[in-house]
Amino acid sequence: MSAKKSVGHHTSVGSRVFDALNIMLLVGLALVTVLPLLYVLAGSFATESEIASRPFFLWPEKFVTSTYEYIFATDTFVRALITTIVVTAVGALVQVILTLTMAYPLAKRYLPGRTLVLNLVIFTLVFSGGMIPTYLVVRDLGLLNSYWALILPLAINPFYLIIVKSFFQELPQALEEAARIDGCNEMGVFFKIVLPLSKPIIATFSLFYAVGIWNDYMSPLLYIDDNSKWTLQVIVRQLTSANAENALASLDSVFFPVEGLKFAVVVIATLPILFFYPFLQKHFAKGVLIGSVKE
């Protein structure tokens, strides 16, 4: 009887109307999100005249690849793309390692000074040094015009650190105690027990850190004066600014399709992150939600 009532409840008129409204709402939100991306993708394969004459389209009348040919034949864009990939990979690795190695000892309630350090971490969630003091620190450390200036100032995100610390606290203490009985020291417990159990949260925050570095254009603008060291995001900003032609004319003297180039560079800057999201998406809910549970 209860099963029949449950089935009848889910197939009632109100339930079907609710499901239909939800579907319509989600489809509408999906269209609002996807249509601009499709327009940018279509514009990257369109001619300059079509982009100027058609305010919106999802498929170009004439399919051309000259913009992408120009991009990958120009040293400026290829160099910026390679720079961004390397900085993102190295930066995400450094940031994840520092976050994990700081979060693990803070997860131990018996650690002397743990409360003070946690309070300092929480303090940075509310207050920061600001742009000018951070720039002065980077300058005095000799990091200007160095790729490390794009990595080290943001090496540990305090919000991510607290979540990872909470995740470590939720791990079974019996496993760590068994490892210590078998002769493991703290480093052995960390590498042989804790890290293998932390794959979901490592994958999650590796992607979060990588996305943050990949999308960061403010740090290169502040700390990198040499345009040969610019990342892809700086190129995107220069292209999408009002003085795009003047900004890039200093980089390459050959003619380039300005409008199509804007679309193509945005596509190139977006696709790598979109490519990795589906492979790591399954770890998001597990990694973040488990880490947010507190005792």
PDB file of all heavy atoms in Angstrom, residues 154-184:
ATOM      1  N   LEU A 154      50.087  33.503  -4.061  1.00  0.00           N
ATOM      2  CA  LEU A 154      48.789  32.843  -3.871  1.00  0.00           C
ATOM      3  C   LEU A 154      48.979  31.354  -3.620  1.00  0.00           C
ATOM      4  O   LEU A 154      48.127  30.541  -3.979  1.00  0.00           O
ATOM      5  CB  LEU A 154      47.905  33.065  -5.103  1.00  0.00           C
ATOM      6  CG  LEU A 154      47.646  34.527  -5.479  1.00  0.00           C
ATOM      7  CD1 LEU A 154      46.869  34.609  -6.793  1.00  0.00           C
ATOM      8  CD2 LEU A 154      46.879  35.249  -4.372  1.00  0.00           C
ATOM      9  N   ALA A 155      50.095  30.988  -2.990  1.00  0.00           N
ATOM     10  CA  ALA A 155      50.455  29.579  -2.881  1.00  0.00           C
ATOM     11  C   ALA A 155      49.462  28.772  -2.058  1.00  0.00           C
ATOM     12  O   ALA A 155      49.224  27.601  -2.341  1.00  0.00           O
ATOM     13  CB  ALA A 155      51.860  29.446  -2.290  1.00  0.00           C
ATOM     14  N   ILE A 156      48.887  29.364  -1.019  1.00  0.00           N
ATOM     15  CA  ILE A 156      47.938  28.641  -0.170  1.00  0.00           C
ATOM     16  C   ILE A 156      46.666  29.462  -0.043  1.00  0.00           C
ATOM     17  O   ILE A 156      46.699  30.589   0.445  1.00  0.00           O
ATOM     18  CB  ILE A 156      48.529  28.365   1.230  1.00  0.00           C
ATOM     19  CG1 ILE A 156      49.769  27.475   1.128  1.00  0.00           C
ATOM     20  CG2 ILE A 156      47.486  27.701   2.123  1.00  0.00           C
ATOM     21  CD1 ILE A 156      50.421  27.190   2.456  1.00  0.00           C
ATOM     22  N   ASN A 157      45.575  28.900  -0.487  1.00  0.00           N
ATOM     23  CA  ASN A 157      44.273  29.531  -0.313  1.00  0.00           C
ATOM     24  C   ASN A 157      43.732  29.148   1.057  1.00  0.00           C
ATOM     25  O   ASN A 157      43.557  27.951   1.336  1.00  0.00           O
ATOM     26  CB  ASN A 157      43.317  29.063  -1.420  1.00  0.00           C
ATOM     27  CG  ASN A 157      41.971  29.767  -1.368  1.00  0.00           C
ATOM     28  OD1 ASN A 157      41.263  29.692  -0.380  1.00  0.00           O
ATOM     29  ND2 ASN A 157      41.631  30.436  -2.446  1.00  0.00           N
ATOM     30  N   PRO A 158      43.486  30.110   1.951  1.00  0.00           N
ATOM     31  CA  PRO A 158      43.072  29.747   3.321  1.00  0.00           C
ATOM     32  C   PRO A 158      41.754  28.987   3.375  1.00  0.00           C
ATOM     33  O   PRO A 158      41.581  28.103   4.218  1.00  0.00           O
ATOM     34  CB  PRO A 158      42.971  31.110   4.021  1.00  0.00           C
ATOM     35  CG  PRO A 158      42.859  32.117   2.930  1.00  0.00           C
ATOM     36  CD  PRO A 158      43.617  31.563   1.773  1.00  0.00           C
ATOM     37  N   PHE A 159      40.826  29.304   2.468  1.00  0.00           N
ATOM     38  CA  PHE A 159      39.548  28.579   2.456  1.00  0.00           C
ATOM     39  C   PHE A 159      39.767  27.117   2.083  1.00  0.00           C
ATOM     40  O   PHE A 159      39.227  26.205   2.721  1.00  0.00           O
ATOM     41  CB  PHE A 159      38.593  29.251   1.476  1.00  0.00           C
ATOM     42  CG  PHE A 159      37.257  28.578   1.372  1.00  0.00           C
ATOM     43  CD1 PHE A 159      36.346  28.641   2.414  1.00  0.00           C
ATOM     44  CD2 PHE A 159      36.903  27.873   0.232  1.00  0.00           C
ATOM     45  CE1 PHE A 159      35.113  28.032   2.324  1.00  0.00           C
ATOM     46  CE2 PHE A 159      35.678  27.252   0.132  1.00  0.00           C
ATOM     47  CZ  PHE A 159      34.777  27.328   1.182  1.00  0.00           C
ATOM     48  N   TYR A 160      40.572  26.872   1.051  1.00  0.00           N
ATOM     49  CA  TYR A 160      40.889  25.501   0.659  1.00  0.00           C
ATOM     50  C   TYR A 160      41.627  24.785   1.782  1.00  0.00           C
ATOM     51  O   TYR A 160      41.402  23.590   2.039  1.00  0.00           O
ATOM     52  CB  TYR A 160      41.746  25.481  -0.607  1.00  0.00           C
ATOM     53  CG  TYR A 160      41.083  26.065  -1.836  1.00  0.00           C
ATOM     54  CD1 TYR A 160      41.827  26.344  -2.985  1.00  0.00           C
ATOM     55  CD2 TYR A 160      39.727  26.335  -1.861  1.00  0.00           C
ATOM     56  CE1 TYR A 160      41.225  26.877  -4.114  1.00  0.00           C
ATOM     57  CE2 TYR A 160      39.120  26.873  -2.985  1.00  0.00           C
ATOM     58  CZ  TYR A 160      39.883  27.145  -4.116  1.00  0.00           C
ATOM     59  OH  TYR A 160      39.284  27.670  -5.219  1.00  0.00           O
ATOM     60  N   LEU A 161      42.528  25.495   2.446  1.00  0.00           N
ATOM     61  CA  LEU A 161      43.303  24.899   3.534  1.00  0.00           C
ATOM     62  C   LEU A 161      42.392  24.402   4.650  1.00  0.00           C
ATOM     63  O   LEU A 161      42.577  23.286   5.171  1.00  0.00           O
ATOM     64  CB  LEU A 161      44.292  25.926   4.077  1.00  0.00           C
ATOM     65  CG  LEU A 161      45.108  25.493   5.294  1.00  0.00           C
ATOM     66  CD1 LEU A 161      46.083  24.386   4.938  1.00  0.00           C
ATOM     67  CD2 LEU A 161      45.852  26.681   5.894  1.00  0.00           C
ATOM     68  N   ILE A 162      41.404  25.192   5.017  1.00  0.00           N
ATOM     69  CA  ILE A 162      40.501  24.798   6.107  1.00  0.00           C
ATOM     70  C   ILE A 162      39.683  23.574   5.707  1.00  0.00           C
ATOM     71  O   ILE A 162      39.461  22.660   6.509  1.00  0.00           O
ATOM     72  CB  ILE A 162      39.596  25.982   6.479  1.00  0.00           C
ATOM     73  CG1 ILE A 162      40.436  27.091   7.130  1.00  0.00           C
ATOM     74  CG2 ILE A 162      38.491  25.540   7.428  1.00  0.00           C
ATOM     75  CD1 ILE A 162      39.665  28.362   7.394  1.00  0.00           C
ATOM     76  N   ILE A 163      39.229  23.515   4.458  1.00  0.00           N
ATOM     77  CA  ILE A 163      38.457  22.357   4.007  1.00  0.00           C
ATOM     78  C   ILE A 163      39.321  21.098   4.006  1.00  0.00           C
ATOM     79  O   ILE A 163      38.887  20.025   4.448  1.00  0.00           O
ATOM     80  CB  ILE A 163      37.868  22.616   2.611  1.00  0.00           C
ATOM     81  CG1 ILE A 163      36.846  23.745   2.670  1.00  0.00           C
ATOM     82  CG2 ILE A 163      37.225  21.354   2.055  1.00  0.00           C
ATOM     83  CD1 ILE A 163      36.229  24.091   1.340  1.00  0.00           C
ATOM     84  N   VAL A 164      40.549  21.211   3.507  1.00  0.00           N
ATOM     85  CA  VAL A 164      41.440  20.047   3.492  1.00  0.00           C
ATOM     86  C   VAL A 164      41.768  19.605   4.915  1.00  0.00           C
ATOM     87  O   VAL A 164      41.816  18.405   5.211  1.00  0.00           O
ATOM     88  CB  VAL A 164      42.729  20.372   2.708  1.00  0.00           C
ATOM     89  CG1 VAL A 164      43.706  19.208   2.778  1.00  0.00           C
ATOM     90  CG2 VAL A 164      42.405  20.676   1.246  1.00  0.00           C
ATOM     91  N   LYS A 165      41.970  20.571   5.799  1.00  0.00           N
ATOM     92  CA  LYS A 165      42.233  20.237   7.200  1.00  0.00           C
ATOM     93  C   LYS A 165      41.064  19.483   7.813  1.00  0.00           C
ATOM     94  O   LYS A 165      41.236  18.470   8.511  1.00  0.00           O
ATOM     95  CB  LYS A 165      42.517  21.524   7.974  1.00  0.00           C
ATOM     96  CG  LYS A 165      42.982  21.324   9.388  1.00  0.00           C
ATOM     97  CD  LYS A 165      42.040  21.681  10.480  1.00  0.00           C
ATOM     98  CE  LYS A 165      41.007  22.703  10.302  1.00  0.00           C
ATOM     99  NZ  LYS A 165      39.980  22.598  11.403  1.00  0.00           N
ATOM    100  N   SER A 166      39.843  19.927   7.533  1.00  0.00           N
ATOM    101  CA  SER A 166      38.654  19.232   8.039  1.00  0.00           C
ATOM    102  C   SER A 166      38.542  17.832   7.446  1.00  0.00           C
ATOM    103  O   SER A 166      38.118  16.890   8.117  1.00  0.00           O
ATOM    104  CB  SER A 166      37.404  20.048   7.715  1.00  0.00           C
ATOM    105  OG  SER A 166      37.451  21.327   8.310  1.00  0.00           O
ATOM    106  N   PHE A 167      38.924  17.689   6.181  1.00  0.00           N
ATOM    107  CA  PHE A 167      38.912  16.375   5.547  1.00  0.00           C
ATOM    108  C   PHE A 167      39.879  15.426   6.253  1.00  0.00           C
ATOM    109  O   PHE A 167      39.546  14.264   6.526  1.00  0.00           O
ATOM    110  CB  PHE A 167      39.291  16.519   4.074  1.00  0.00           C
ATOM    111  CG  PHE A 167      39.360  15.214   3.328  1.00  0.00           C
ATOM    112  CD1 PHE A 167      38.221  14.667   2.759  1.00  0.00           C
ATOM    113  CD2 PHE A 167      40.556  14.534   3.211  1.00  0.00           C
ATOM    114  CE1 PHE A 167      38.284  13.463   2.081  1.00  0.00           C
ATOM    115  CE2 PHE A 167      40.633  13.338   2.531  1.00  0.00           C
ATOM    116  CZ  PHE A 167      39.492  12.797   1.957  1.00  0.00           C
ATOM    117  N   PHE A 168      41.080  15.900   6.557  1.00  0.00           N
ATOM    118  CA  PHE A 168      42.059  15.061   7.251  1.00  0.00           C
ATOM    119  C   PHE A 168      41.556  14.661   8.636  1.00  0.00           C
ATOM    120  O   PHE A 168      41.824  13.549   9.103  1.00  0.00           O
ATOM    121  CB  PHE A 168      43.389  15.800   7.371  1.00  0.00           C
ATOM    122  CG  PHE A 168      44.153  15.887   6.077  1.00  0.00           C
ATOM    123  CD1 PHE A 168      45.109  16.881   5.882  1.00  0.00           C
ATOM    124  CD2 PHE A 168      43.931  14.985   5.057  1.00  0.00           C
ATOM    125  CE1 PHE A 168      45.821  16.950   4.692  1.00  0.00           C
ATOM    126  CE2 PHE A 168      44.637  15.053   3.859  1.00  0.00           C
ATOM    127  CZ  PHE A 168      45.579  16.044   3.685  1.00  0.00           C
ATOM    128  N   GLN A 169      40.829  15.563   9.307  1.00  0.00           N
ATOM    129  CA  GLN A 169      40.306  15.246  10.634  1.00  0.00           C
ATOM    130  C   GLN A 169      39.260  14.139  10.582  1.00  0.00           C
ATOM    131  O   GLN A 169      39.071  13.427  11.574  1.00  0.00           O
ATOM    132  CB  GLN A 169      39.701  16.503  11.271  1.00  0.00           C
ATOM    133  CG  GLN A 169      40.723  17.537  11.698  1.00  0.00           C
ATOM    134  CD  GLN A 169      40.103  18.748  12.362  1.00  0.00           C
ATOM    135  OE1 GLN A 169      40.784  19.681  12.724  1.00  0.00           O
ATOM    136  NE2 GLN A 169      38.788  18.747  12.508  1.00  0.00           N
ATOM    137  N   GLU A 170      38.575  13.998   9.437  1.00  0.00           N
ATOM    138  CA  GLU A 170      37.531  12.987   9.312  1.00  0.00           C
ATOM    139  C   GLU A 170      38.073  11.611   8.955  1.00  0.00           C
ATOM    140  O   GLU A 170      37.337  10.631   8.978  1.00  0.00           O
ATOM    141  CB  GLU A 170      36.516  13.412   8.235  1.00  0.00           C
ATOM    142  CG  GLU A 170      35.760  14.684   8.561  1.00  0.00           C
ATOM    143  CD  GLU A 170      34.929  14.543   9.822  1.00  0.00           C
ATOM    144  OE1 GLU A 170      34.318  13.466  10.009  1.00  0.00           O
ATOM    145  OE2 GLU A 170      34.905  15.493  10.630  1.00  0.00           O
ATOM    146  N   LEU A 171      39.350  11.523   8.606  1.00  0.00           N
ATOM    147  CA  LEU A 171      39.921  10.216   8.278  1.00  0.00           C
ATOM    148  C   LEU A 171      39.982   9.342   9.528  1.00  0.00           C
ATOM    149  O   LEU A 171      40.223   9.839  10.629  1.00  0.00           O
ATOM    150  CB  LEU A 171      41.316  10.383   7.680  1.00  0.00           C
ATOM    151  CG  LEU A 171      41.387  11.091   6.319  1.00  0.00           C
ATOM    152  CD1 LEU A 171      42.837  11.253   5.885  1.00  0.00           C
ATOM    153  CD2 LEU A 171      40.594  10.339   5.264  1.00  0.00           C
ATOM    154  N   PRO A 172      39.782   8.032   9.375  1.00  0.00           N
ATOM    155  CA  PRO A 172      39.801   7.129  10.545  1.00  0.00           C
ATOM    156  C   PRO A 172      41.146   7.158  11.261  1.00  0.00           C
ATOM    157  O   PRO A 172      42.187   6.898  10.657  1.00  0.00           O
ATOM    158  CB  PRO A 172      39.524   5.749   9.927  1.00  0.00           C
ATOM    159  CG  PRO A 172      38.866   6.022   8.619  1.00  0.00           C
ATOM    160  CD  PRO A 172      39.439   7.319   8.135  1.00  0.00           C
ATOM    161  N   GLN A 173      41.121   7.485  12.522  1.00  0.00           N
ATOM    162  CA  GLN A 173      42.350   7.532  13.298  1.00  0.00           C
ATOM    163  C   GLN A 173      42.939   6.144  13.506  1.00  0.00           C
ATOM    164  O   GLN A 173      44.151   5.990  13.702  1.00  0.00           O
ATOM    165  CB  GLN A 173      42.077   8.193  14.651  1.00  0.00           C
ATOM    166  CG  GLN A 173      41.657   9.647  14.558  1.00  0.00           C
ATOM    167  CD  GLN A 173      42.733  10.516  13.937  1.00  0.00           C
ATOM    168  OE1 GLN A 173      43.914  10.384  14.257  1.00  0.00           O
ATOM    169  NE2 GLN A 173      42.330  11.394  13.031  1.00  0.00           N
ATOM    170  N   ALA A 174      42.089   5.109  13.433  1.00  0.00           N
ATOM    171  CA  ALA A 174      42.578   3.743  13.649  1.00  0.00           C
ATOM    172  C   ALA A 174      43.589   3.340  12.587  1.00  0.00           C
ATOM    173  O   ALA A 174      44.546   2.597  12.875  1.00  0.00           O
ATOM    174  CB  ALA A 174      41.401   2.766  13.643  1.00  0.00           C
ATOM    175  N   LEU A 175      43.414   3.835  11.352  1.00  0.00           N
ATOM    176  CA  LEU A 175      44.363   3.506  10.294  1.00  0.00           C
ATOM    177  C   LEU A 175      45.732   4.110  10.581  1.00  0.00           C
ATOM    178  O   LEU A 175      46.772   3.456  10.385  1.00  0.00           O
ATOM    179  CB  LEU A 175      43.834   4.003   8.952  1.00  0.00           C
ATOM    180  CG  LEU A 175      42.582   3.317   8.403  1.00  0.00           C
ATOM    181  CD1 LEU A 175      42.137   3.988   7.104  1.00  0.00           C
ATOM    182  CD2 LEU A 175      42.858   1.836   8.160  1.00  0.00           C
ATOM    183  N   GLU A 176      45.744   5.342  11.045  1.00  0.00           N
ATOM    184  CA  GLU A 176      47.012   5.978  11.370  1.00  0.00           C
ATOM    185  C   GLU A 176      47.683   5.287  12.553  1.00  0.00           C
ATOM    186  O   GLU A 176      48.908   5.085  12.557  1.00  0.00           O
ATOM    187  CB  GLU A 176      46.791   7.465  11.661  1.00  0.00           C
ATOM    188  CG  GLU A 176      46.237   8.250  10.476  1.00  0.00           C
ATOM    189  CD  GLU A 176      46.122   9.733  10.771  1.00  0.00           C
ATOM    190  OE1 GLU A 176      46.806  10.195  11.709  1.00  0.00           O
ATOM    191  OE2 GLU A 176      45.362  10.421  10.069  1.00  0.00           O
ATOM    192  N   GLU A 177      46.894   4.926  13.558  1.00  0.00           N
ATOM    193  CA  GLU A 177      47.473   4.248  14.711  1.00  0.00           C
ATOM    194  C   GLU A 177      48.028   2.889  14.331  1.00  0.00           C
ATOM    195  O   GLU A 177      49.103   2.483  14.804  1.00  0.00           O
ATOM    196  CB  GLU A 177      46.407   4.104  15.804  1.00  0.00           C
ATOM    197  CG  GLU A 177      45.969   5.440  16.390  1.00  0.00           C
ATOM    198  CD  GLU A 177      44.792   5.300  17.330  1.00  0.00           C
ATOM    199  OE1 GLU A 177      44.332   4.142  17.515  1.00  0.00           O
ATOM    200  OE2 GLU A 177      44.333   6.324  17.867  1.00  0.00           O
ATOM    201  N   ALA A 178      47.342   2.179  13.438  1.00  0.00           N
ATOM    202  CA  ALA A 178      47.843   0.878  12.993  1.00  0.00           C
ATOM    203  C   ALA A 178      49.157   1.039  12.224  1.00  0.00           C
ATOM    204  O   ALA A 178      50.073   0.216  12.358  1.00  0.00           O
ATOM    205  CB  ALA A 178      46.797   0.194  12.117  1.00  0.00           C
ATOM    206  N   ALA A 179      49.245   2.086  11.415  1.00  0.00           N
ATOM    207  CA  ALA A 179      50.475   2.332  10.667  1.00  0.00           C
ATOM    208  C   ALA A 179      51.628   2.658  11.606  1.00  0.00           C
ATOM    209  O   ALA A 179      52.766   2.210  11.390  1.00  0.00           O
ATOM    210  CB  ALA A 179      50.261   3.477   9.673  1.00  0.00           C
ATOM    211  N   ARG A 180      51.355   3.415  12.658  1.00  0.00           N
ATOM    212  CA  ARG A 180      52.421   3.736  13.621  1.00  0.00           C
ATOM    213  C   ARG A 180      52.867   2.486  14.376  1.00  0.00           C
ATOM    214  O   ARG A 180      54.061   2.325  14.679  1.00  0.00           O
ATOM    215  CB  ARG A 180      51.935   4.812  14.587  1.00  0.00           C
ATOM    216  CG  ARG A 180      51.687   6.171  13.933  1.00  0.00           C
ATOM    217  CD  ARG A 180      51.411   7.251  14.968  1.00  0.00           C
ATOM    218  NE  ARG A 180      51.162   8.531  14.338  1.00  0.00           N
ATOM    219  CZ  ARG A 180      49.949   8.987  14.030  1.00  0.00           C
ATOM    220  NH1 ARG A 180      48.865   8.260  14.327  1.00  0.00           N
ATOM    221  NH2 ARG A 180      49.797  10.157  13.447  1.00  0.00           N
ATOM    222  N   ILE A 181      51.925   1.603  14.686  1.00  0.00           N
ATOM    223  CA  ILE A 181      52.291   0.353  15.359  1.00  0.00           C
ATOM    224  C   ILE A 181      53.190  -0.488  14.464  1.00  0.00           C
ATOM    225  O   ILE A 181      54.118  -1.157  14.922  1.00  0.00           O
ATOM    226  CB  ILE A 181      51.015  -0.427  15.752  1.00  0.00           C
ATOM    227  CG1 ILE A 181      50.252   0.336  16.852  1.00  0.00           C
ATOM    228  CG2 ILE A 181      51.361  -1.832  16.216  1.00  0.00           C
ATOM    229  CD1 ILE A 181      48.923  -0.277  17.206  1.00  0.00           C
ATOM    230  N   ASP A 182      52.940  -0.420  13.140  1.00  0.00           N
ATOM    231  CA  ASP A 182      53.754  -1.174  12.177  1.00  0.00           C
ATOM    232  C   ASP A 182      55.102  -0.518  11.904  1.00  0.00           C
ATOM    233  O   ASP A 182      55.895  -1.036  11.110  1.00  0.00           O
ATOM    234  CB  ASP A 182      52.999  -1.332  10.856  1.00  0.00           C
ATOM    235  CG  ASP A 182      51.826  -2.291  10.987  1.00  0.00           C
ATOM    236  OD1 ASP A 182      51.843  -3.104  11.926  1.00  0.00           O
ATOM    237  OD2 ASP A 182      50.904  -2.213  10.150  1.00  0.00           O
ATOM    238  N   GLY A 183      55.373   0.628  12.530  1.00  0.00           N
ATOM    239  CA  GLY A 183      56.681   1.240  12.410  1.00  0.00           C
ATOM    240  C   GLY A 183      56.736   2.492  11.562  1.00  0.00           C
ATOM    241  O   GLY A 183      57.827   3.023  11.331  1.00  0.00           O
ATOM    242  N   CYS A 184      55.605   2.990  11.075  1.00  0.00           N
ATOM    243  CA  CYS A 184      55.607   4.203  10.259  1.00  0.00           C
ATOM    244  C   CYS A 184      55.774   5.441  11.135  1.00  0.00           C
ATOM    245  O   CYS A 184      55.174   5.532  12.207  1.00  0.00           O
ATOM    246  CB  CYS A 184      54.304   4.320   9.470  1.00  0.00           C
ATOM    247  SG  CYS A 184      54.266   3.351   7.957  1.00  0.00           S
TER     248      CYS A 184
END
